[in-house]
Amino acid sequence: MRTLFEKSTPCRKGMCNNLTTSKAADYLPAEMMRGSRVRLPELGELDVVRHFTRLSKRNFGVDGNFYPLGSCTMKYNPKFTENVAALPGFTRLHPLAAQLKGAGHFTQGALEVMYDMESLLCEITGMAGYTLHPMAGAHGELTGAMIIAAYHKSKGNKKTKIICPDSAHGTNPASAALAGFDVVTIESKDGIVDPEALRAALDDEVAGVMLTCPNTLGLFESHLPEIVKMIHDVDALLYYDGANMNAIMGKMRVGDAGFDVVHWNLHKTLGTPHGGGGPGSGPVGVCEKLVPFLPISRVKKLEDGRYVLDYDHPQSIGYMAPFYGNFGVMLKAYAYVLRLGGEGLTRASENAVLSANYMRKRLEDVLEIPYNRICMHEFVASAVGEKLNGVRALDIAKALLDKGHHAPTIYFPLIVKECMMMEPTETECKDTLDGFLDDLIEIVKRAETDPDSIKAAPVTLPVTRLDETKAARDMVLTDDCGCE
């Protein structure tokens, strides 16, 4: 598809500007004026409309196609939440208003939403307090790691290390390192944390352990009570990576299970768009003893029922985001939680787990399933058998694009060779799952008889197999518009 610059025709215009208002040259010195005209594309209005309409039809998103990305919870984003976020009472509100003296009464509704959202997240997770400020999951991890550091500093503890299992999301060790900790990695055993490996790594300098439960293999950490005790015995804190929260809503409150810090991915679990569809939001919840360290400002409800911003938290780690985080994402998540209620959230998790296990069972005789037992909301398969014919997980993922499906997550977690991680979510019907599985099974069978056709995929898309290394290391993101 040609770019607008390639379609440009000299002197073709989309509009006629007859305004006689002042020009830049009336105000700026001559030496600051451009010496030649900027080469902008010259097109008619219809040319532009058709160009962007065609581009929009090439978008690949959850509204149009199945999106089985593991560890990403690409569930359907219900449209009623967009209507809530678009209410004029929210969209016309200036974010500074809540901080201006005498203007707080204009923002009572927004502050009440934030206050209620924190309360709802506390109820779902069993935590004592929340901040809504972190603007993505990894940002939430960093916030949590900084709270862990502040807690130990306040006690005078010498804590230098954070432990992460080898199945952890890559952002876990990155966030811990950014907060100033050394990262210790422990090997999993049978797909989950090995208590003996954890015991060997624990000492008095361990500040915390970052755990995803269920983990990135879709397996629940069955040694959790033992893990919690070992960690707390050395005055370390247990962090819950909330990326996989979609498996446990209504089933387990992480605070009750012994976790001290948790972050959500509202843009995954609570139905708000993410990826290319919208910004993230990574609220962080903490147990009672960590509440004083939450970021400021915090929303406080006064005895007369008014809501105000409260900055009087001297042990706070400070500011983690401008204003109050991604407020629009909070609104959508708030509406989603209220609409589903406790029963709906529980059913969402149940159906997500059911869908994943249905897919796992249909594939167990087709692909290798390294940990083939009851999984949670996602599972991993391996293309090690297909690699014998020269077909790798990447090739299968590309072939799925020709079938109209988004590819699953591949090569993660790193502890499974030729890994393909799939997470169907609760929002897909059985027909959609079967359609995807039928296509995947056909591709795997074709890998035995015609591997070259798989390795050549995709062949039906606007672009075929790309040099992904070159794309990452030699990016060209702009067109040459002829600017001097």
Side-chain angles (χ1 to χ4, degrees):
M1 184 173 176
R2 295 188 301 161
T3 68
L4 286 177
F5 289 97
E6 292 169 329
K7 294 176 180 176
S8 178
T9 300
C11 299
R12 183 175 295 177
K13 296 183 183 299
M15 60 174 290
C16 294
N17 188 349
N18 295 321
L19 296 177
T20 57
T21 54
S22 301
K23 299 179 180 179
D26 298 333
Y27 302 96
L28 298 176
E31 62 270 22
M32 296 183 66
M33 298 300 294
R34 189 185 300 275
S36 61
R37 296 189 62 181
V38 177
R39 187 172 74 87
L40 295 175
E42 298 178 84
L43 299 160
E45 178 176 327
L46 186 56
D47 300 326
V48 176
V49 169
R50 286 178 174 164
H51 177 82
F52 285 106
T53 299
R54 287 172 183 142
L55 272 182
S56 72
K57 291 179 178 178
R58 294 187 176 186
N59 276 344
F60 200 104
V62 75
D63 281 357
N65 304 80
F66 181 44
Y67 226 104
L69 270 178
S71 222
C72 267
T73 313
M74 297 296 291
K75 65 171 69 176
Y76 172 67
N77 315 129
K79 299 300 174 273
F80 80 94
T81 64
E82 301 289 341
N83 295 334
V84 172
L87 289 173
F90 293 126
T91 58
R92 295 176 184 175
L93 199 59
H94 195 287
L96 272 176
Q99 302 174 26
L100 297 179
K101 188 175 182 179
H105 61 282
F106 292 121
T107 63
Q108 288 300 294
L111 293 176
E112 183 175 359
V113 166
M114 290 192 286
Y115 184 87
D116 284 352
M117 189 66 190
E118 289 185 15
S119 299
L120 289 169
L121 295 180
C122 284
E123 174 61 27
I124 298 171
T125 57
M127 288 298 184
Y130 261 90
T131 176
L132 302 176
H133 292 197
M135 305 179 81
H139 195 199
E141 293 176 19
L142 175 62
T143 302
M146 291 174 65
I147 289 172
I148 291 173
Y151 165 76
H152 289 303
K153 183 179 179 180
S154 73
K155 296 185 67 177
N157 292 341
K158 181 186 178 184
K159 299 284 191 178
T160 60
K161 298 180 283 189
I162 279 185
I163 295 175
C164 299
D166 57 3
S167 63
H169 292 101
T171 49
N172 285 183
S175 299
L178 199 57
F181 292 106
D182 296 327
V183 177
V184 178
T185 303
I186 57 172
E187 289 189 13
S188 302
K189 183 179 181 181
D190 194 27
I192 57 178
V193 170
D194 177 8
E196 294 308 314
L198 177 59
R199 196 186 314 278
L202 279 173
D203 60 32
D204 289 339
E205 292 199 12
V206 172
V209 176
M210 300 183 80
L211 204 61
T212 307
C213 182
N215 65 16
T216 55
L217 297 170
L219 303 176
F220 193 85
E221 295 289 350
S222 56
H223 302 297
L224 189 56
E226 184 180 358
I227 291 171
V228 171
K229 184 176 187 308
M230 280 194 287
I231 292 170
H232 288 166
D233 282 348
V234 297
D235 196 19
L237 299 170
L238 184 55
Y239 184 97
Y240 184 91
D241 181 326
N244 291 346
M245 189 77 78
N246 207 48
I248 64 164
M249 291 186 298
K251 296 293 184 181
M252 182 183 84
R253 302 205 315 167
V254 297
D256 297 344
F259 286 89
D260 302 292
V261 188
V262 55
H263 88 261
W264 282 78
N265 295 76
L266 299 189
H267 50 285
K268 291 183 181 179
T269 314
L270 298 184
T272 69
H274 72 302
S281 179
V284 171
V286 295
C287 63
E288 190 69 44
K289 65 184 177 183
L290 298 181
V291 169
F293 305 98
L294 285 170
I296 52 173
S297 61
R298 300 197 61 206
V299 180
K300 180 180 179 181
K301 186 176 183 180
L302 303 177
E303 291 184 358
D304 62 5
R306 289 183 297 119
Y307 298 89
V308 297
L309 294 178
D310 183 11
Y311 297 87
D312 187 18
H313 298 279
Q315 289 185 292
S316 167
I317 62 172
Y319 297 91
M320 289 302 295
F323 302 114
Y324 327 100
N326 280 322
F327 183 66
V329 182
M330 286 175 225
L331 284 172
K332 297 174 191 177
Y334 181 65
Y336 180 86
V337 171
L338 292 182
R339 177 66 183 86
L340 267 65
E343 180 184 352
L345 293 176
T346 304
R347 285 173 56 195
S349 287
E350 291 173 344
N351 289 338
V353 172
L354 179 63
S355 295
N357 279 284
Y358 176 73
M359 291 181 66
R360 178 183 61 82
K361 289 298 291 181
R362 274 207 62 187
L363 289 176
E364 65 182 0
D365 296 326
V366 179
L367 288 165
E368 178 172 326
I369 310 291
Y371 303 98
N372 193 12
R373 57 183 186 262
I374 295 293
C375 64
M376 299 298 287
H377 65 307
E378 64 189 8
F379 69 101
V380 296
S382 171
V384 289
E386 288 62 39
K387 190 179 178 182
L388 298 176
N389 291 324
V391 174
R392 304 190 60 185
L394 174 67
D395 303 314
I396 295 174
K398 296 292 186 184
L400 282 167
L401 303 181
D402 277 334
K403 300 283 189 179
H405 308 292
H406 196 283
T409 298
I410 55 175
Y411 301 115
F412 181 79
L414 303 177
I415 58 177
V416 174
K417 294 180 179 177
E418 297 298 322
C419 182
M420 293 187 290
M421 184 202 294
M422 304 179 205
E423 179 182 351
T425 81
E426 74 279 9
T427 55
E428 300 294 344
C429 67
K430 182 174 178 294
D431 290 344
T432 299
L433 300 184
D434 282 332
F436 172 81
L437 291 165
D438 290 344
D439 288 337
L440 176 55
I441 291 169
E442 188 277 328
I443 291 169
V444 173
K445 290 181 176 177
R446 183 150 50 93
E448 298 178 2
T449 59
D450 186 13
D452 288 342
S453 70
I454 307 298
K455 291 190 285 187
V459 296
T460 62
L461 302 183
V463 293
T464 55
R465 190 69 69 101
L466 300 174
D467 184 339
E468 296 184 4
T469 302
K470 181 176 174 59
R473 296 182 179 177
D474 188 19
M475 288 187 284
V476 180
L477 302 178
T478 58
D479 199 335
D480 175 16
C481 61
C483 299
E484 295 178 355

